[in-house]
Amino acid sequence: VDKWGTYDANTAPDCKYVIEINKECLDLVEGDTLMGVDTLGDLVTYKNNTVKVEKNTADGWVTLVQGTDYFFTYSENEGNKNLTFKGLPDATHLKISYEARLELLEGAFKPGEAGNTFTLQGTKNNSASSDYTATTTAVESSGWADSEFYEITLNKFWTDGSDQMHPLNGAEF
């Protein structure tokens, strides 16, 4: 597992994360599918509808279909923010990407608050993980508007029987 993020003056306050899994296409689990969990730091907020999972083939990268080729859920529960990927194909070179907003205040932040860790679970060696932490300090907080009209983004979530929150992508108000 190899993970990195792109966060600089051009992308701030957003960060694009990329996770590469199983570059060598090894058989990692007993069975055909993998499960991975990405745990976000306190100052990291997942941006809905930005997850993309791809597999490397002889013809290049091919995008997998969520709900058919793999399953994805985002949950926030008791201060934990997790992106969970189930049904990822084993023995395949995979790339997962998504975007998140770093909610930085002016000044430095504590280690771990702006980081996250991806863990591949159930592998023959029990688990494999990689993490990325933004090491930039926010010098100045700012905001802007470019028209006389305002925009607000609202996200709807539902809570299942296990008290896990799931985004209702495409929900209308």
Side-chain angles (χ1 to χ4, degrees):
V1 176
D2 189 18
K3 180 174 187 172
W4 65 90
T6 303
Y7 178 75
D8 56 31
N10 295 319
T11 65
D14 297 333
C15 183
K16 181 173 182 177
Y17 293 99
V18 178
I19 306 159
E20 279 200 69
I21 303 168
N22 203 4
K23 290 181 187 178
E24 294 79 20
C25 299
L26 301 174
D27 183 14
L28 298 175
V29 295
E30 302 292 333
D32 297 328
T33 62
L34 304 169
M35 177 178 163
V37 177
D38 204 358
T39 302
L40 307 182
D42 292 341
L43 300 178
V44 181
T45 302
Y46 165 67
K47 292 180 69 174
N48 285 334
N49 302 318
T50 61
V51 165
K52 183 178 183 181
V53 178
E54 301 170 277
K55 71 177 180 179
N56 198 359
T57 69
D59 297 324
W61 290 100
V62 175
T63 301
L64 300 180
V65 178
Q66 183 179 329
T68 302
D69 298 323
Y70 72 96
F71 300 93
F72 165 74
T73 58
Y74 172 70
S75 62
E76 289 187 30
N77 189 18
E78 297 180 13
N80 297 315
K81 298 185 270 186
N82 295 310
L83 287 82
T84 303
F85 301 87
K86 294 182 181 178
L88 297 170
D90 190 14
T92 305
H93 181 189
L94 300 171
K95 182 168 48 175
I96 297 172
S97 60
Y98 67 91
E99 293 180 26
R101 176 147 297 180
L102 301 183
E103 306 293 342
L104 303 180
L105 302 174
E106 192 170 325
F109 46 86
K110 298 175 195 164
E113 289 181 326
N116 55 21
T117 301
F118 181 84
T119 305
L120 197 55
Q121 299 180 343
T123 62
K124 292 177 182 176
N125 292 329
N126 197 22
S127 70
S129 67
S130 183
D131 59 271
Y132 173 83
T133 299
T135 55
T136 304
T137 299
V139 177
E140 178 182 334
S141 298
S142 65
W144 67 90
D146 59 2
S147 77
E148 59 188 71
F149 300 104
Y150 295 93
E151 178 179 309
I152 185 168
T153 302
L154 300 175
N155 295 308
K156 284 188 176 181
F157 292 85
W158 69 276
T159 304
D160 65 19
S162 301
D163 289 330
Q164 296 291 311
M165 292 178 61
H166 303 277
L168 294 172
N169 297 331
E172 295 183 19
F173 294 85

